[in-house]
Amino acid sequence: MRSIVSLGVVGCGLLAAAQYTPSLNVKVYNASAVDTASIYLAPHTGPAEGPYVFDQHGKILYSIANRLGNVFDFQPCIYQKQLRYCLFQTGSTNIAKGYGNGTASIYDNQFHLLKGLPTSDYHEFKIVQAIDEANASVNDIALLTLYSPVRRDLSQFGVANEDNKGWVIDCRLRALDPTSGKILFDWSALEHVPLSESLVQPTGAINGQSADFAWDYFHMDSIARLYNGDYIVSSRHTSTIYRISGKDGSILWRLGGKSSTFQLQGFQFSSQHDVRVIKHSGSIMRLSLFDNAYNTFTPPQGNSSGKIIEVDTAAKTARLVQQYNPPEDGFQSGDGGSLQLLPRGNVFICWGSIPYVTEHTADGLLVYSAYYAATGSSVSSYRAFKAPYTGITNS
């Protein structure tokens, strides 16, 4: 770590530089192939937690660390037709158990707070735009995950209390108008996915014996919205990707896990994060994801990797289009991680609990690798992004 002078807080709602900043240490840099956009990173559970913007060489352009607590999902977003910055600020958290409440926040390019949406989980906060053809308009929709402990009969899973009831997390998908707060869609995993689909049993910090130790049977970690209003939901603890009807909440299909609708042709994935739709035409859908292959509760299934998968809903098959391997052997990321398809075709990967970011060409060649903490330390970033940066700088 390296120290800089704290600039304190300037103006109403404007957040300035932190007391400490991490170094982004570049190990691989292919100048002719790497995308030149800035890197958005939010290390947490360390002495320099918070959001940072780096250039490709590791120079800090801006940081507001140690002002917001633990931060997740720091990225540029479009809100009310303007470029803004979105992030999740944790409040009272159960990060060690895999969830936490706080505020989904939107800042302008001077880092004034524009909007805060209270929510009970940090795994997804994304603003997407939906076309309203009837009114010839484009509307903002905020996608959020919510985690709520509820009581259920868990006796068949070995949770025995005097009334045979234990505690389980109900993961919810919520879509709302970020300006008014109006709920547009709400979906409960418990109402649609049986407990028996889980690959992670009640144990340790999620033993189901109390609300604080509720069994996280589903663990929703990403949400994507299709143009027709359906949703793609990723569940780490069922190792399944679900397509959810935006009309009635029914499950239209499952990819992976115990009850896959599709035959996976020569590949597997598990405990995945950050599932995104990168192409959808007719019966063909291409998905990108970060395949953790590890969740800290069950044995690793190999190295973590990035994957592009093509699903054929007519043939009921799924095939691996491309895999992006880690820069070193032994990368087994137990939580977090993201894969971003860049405009020129490169792929940018955050390795979750392993404090590395990498960039690869479309066919898998490593062209960039950098680390921001020692491997094995508690410092990690839930996701990371590459995009141009036009906000204020520390200088």
Side-chain angles (χ1 to χ4, degrees):
M1 298 288 181
R2 59 184 180 183
S3 298
I4 63 171
V5 177
S6 172
L7 300 181
V9 179
V10 182
C12 180
L14 178 61
L15 295 166
Q19 289 183 323
Y20 301 99
T21 57
S23 297
L24 185 62
N25 306 285
V26 179
K27 295 183 69 176
V28 175
Y29 183 81
N30 184 333
S32 64
V34 72
D35 190 290
T36 58
S38 301
I39 295 171
Y40 293 72
L41 195 66
H44 59 84
T45 62
E49 60 194 23
Y52 294 83
V53 183
F54 293 91
D55 71 10
Q56 59 196 350
H57 303 291
K59 176 186 175 182
I60 294 174
L61 301 177
Y62 192 67
S63 70
I64 49 176
N66 290 331
R67 300 291 173 184
L68 303 179
N70 281 316
V71 166
F72 296 79
D73 233 4
F74 173 47
Q75 61 184 296
C77 58
I78 300 298
Y79 174 59
Q80 296 181 340
K81 301 180 181 180
Q82 300 292 320
L83 176 64
R84 305 303 188 191
Y85 299 99
C86 289
L87 54 84
F88 179 87
Q89 302 166 229
T90 58
S92 174
T93 64
N94 266 315
I95 290 177
K97 300 179 180 65
Y99 63 95
N101 63 23
T103 305
S105 302
I106 306 170
Y107 290 86
D108 68 13
N109 66 355
Q110 298 293 305
F111 280 92
H112 290 96
L113 180 64
L114 298 175
K115 191 71 177 180
L117 305 169
T119 184
S120 62
D121 180 59
Y122 58 76
H123 284 92
E124 187 71 277
F125 170 43
K126 190 176 293 292
I127 295 179
V128 298
Q129 281 66 49
I131 298 174
D132 183 346
E133 294 181 351
N135 297 310
S137 63
V138 178
N139 301 323
D140 294 329
I141 297 178
L143 303 178
L144 300 166
T145 49
L146 288 80
Y147 280 43
S148 302
V150 298
R151 295 273 275 162
R152 286 291 188 277
D153 184 347
L154 302 181
S155 56
Q156 65 175 308
F157 301 99
V159 180
N161 294 322
E162 59 276 5
D163 58 359
N164 286 326
K165 286 189 176 181
W167 290 85
V168 63
I169 297 291
D170 184 15
C171 291
R172 305 188 77 92
L173 176 171
R174 181 161 293 173
L176 52 80
D177 181 325
T179 301
S180 68
K182 179 183 177 181
I183 297 174
L184 306 174
F185 185 79
D186 186 80
W187 183 86
S188 160
L190 268 180
E191 292 175 4
H192 295 89
V193 180
L195 298 174
S196 58
E197 280 195 31
S198 184
L199 297 168
V200 175
Q201 297 303 301
T203 184
I206 56 168
N207 60 30
Q209 296 290 345
S210 68
D212 286 339
F213 290 82
W215 177 27
D216 187 6
Y217 94 104
F218 192 79
H219 197 93
M220 186 186 301
D221 58 42
S222 71
I223 305 166
R225 188 179 188 274
L226 302 179
Y227 287 114
N228 73 343
D230 290 348
Y231 296 88
I232 301 294
V233 168
S234 170
S235 163
R236 182 176 84 157
H237 288 174
T238 67
S239 291
T240 303
I241 300 164
Y242 301 83
R243 180 170 179 174
I244 309 299
S245 168
K247 296 179 180 178
D248 61 15
S250 61
I251 296 174
L252 301 178
W253 51 250
R254 292 165 165 85
L255 174 63
K258 293 181 178 180
S259 304
S260 183
T261 307
F262 308 99
Q263 179 185 3
L264 277 61
Q265 298 181 325
F267 78 100
Q268 297 291 328
F269 64 87
S270 62
S271 305
Q272 74 288 337
H273 282 75
D274 196 38
V275 178
R276 304 298 167 196
V277 179
I278 58 177
K279 178 183 178 181
H280 187 200
S281 178
S283 65
I284 303 298
M285 181 182 290
R286 280 198 177 184
L287 304 171
S288 66
L289 58 88
F290 182 74
D291 179 9
N292 293 75
Y294 182 43
N295 59 34
T296 74
F297 296 103
T298 56
Q301 303 299 305
N303 284 337
S304 302
S305 63
K307 284 183 167 69
I308 305 293
I309 296 169
E310 185 172 276
V311 178
D312 187 331
T313 57
K316 296 294 191 292
T317 58
R319 68 181 183 92
L320 180 65
V321 176
Q322 185 64 51
Q323 179 166 309
Y324 301 95
N325 293 318
E328 302 172 14
D329 192 32
F331 269 42
Q332 295 171 341
S333 177
D335 60 78
S338 59
L339 186 154
Q340 177 190 7
L341 191 65
L342 299 176
R344 293 195 305 167
N346 282 4
V347 166
F348 184 66
I349 297 177
C350 168
W351 293 88
S353 62
I354 299 174
Y356 267 71
V357 292
T358 60
E359 186 173 334
H360 310 253
T361 60
D363 59 2
L365 177 67
L366 179 70
V367 296
Y368 184 86
S369 175
Y371 65 93
Y372 52 91
T375 301
S377 73
S378 63
V379 179
S380 64
S381 185
Y382 177 61
R383 291 174 180 158
F385 300 88
K386 254 198 168 185
Y389 179 68
T390 58
I392 60 174
T393 65
N394 282 355
S395 59

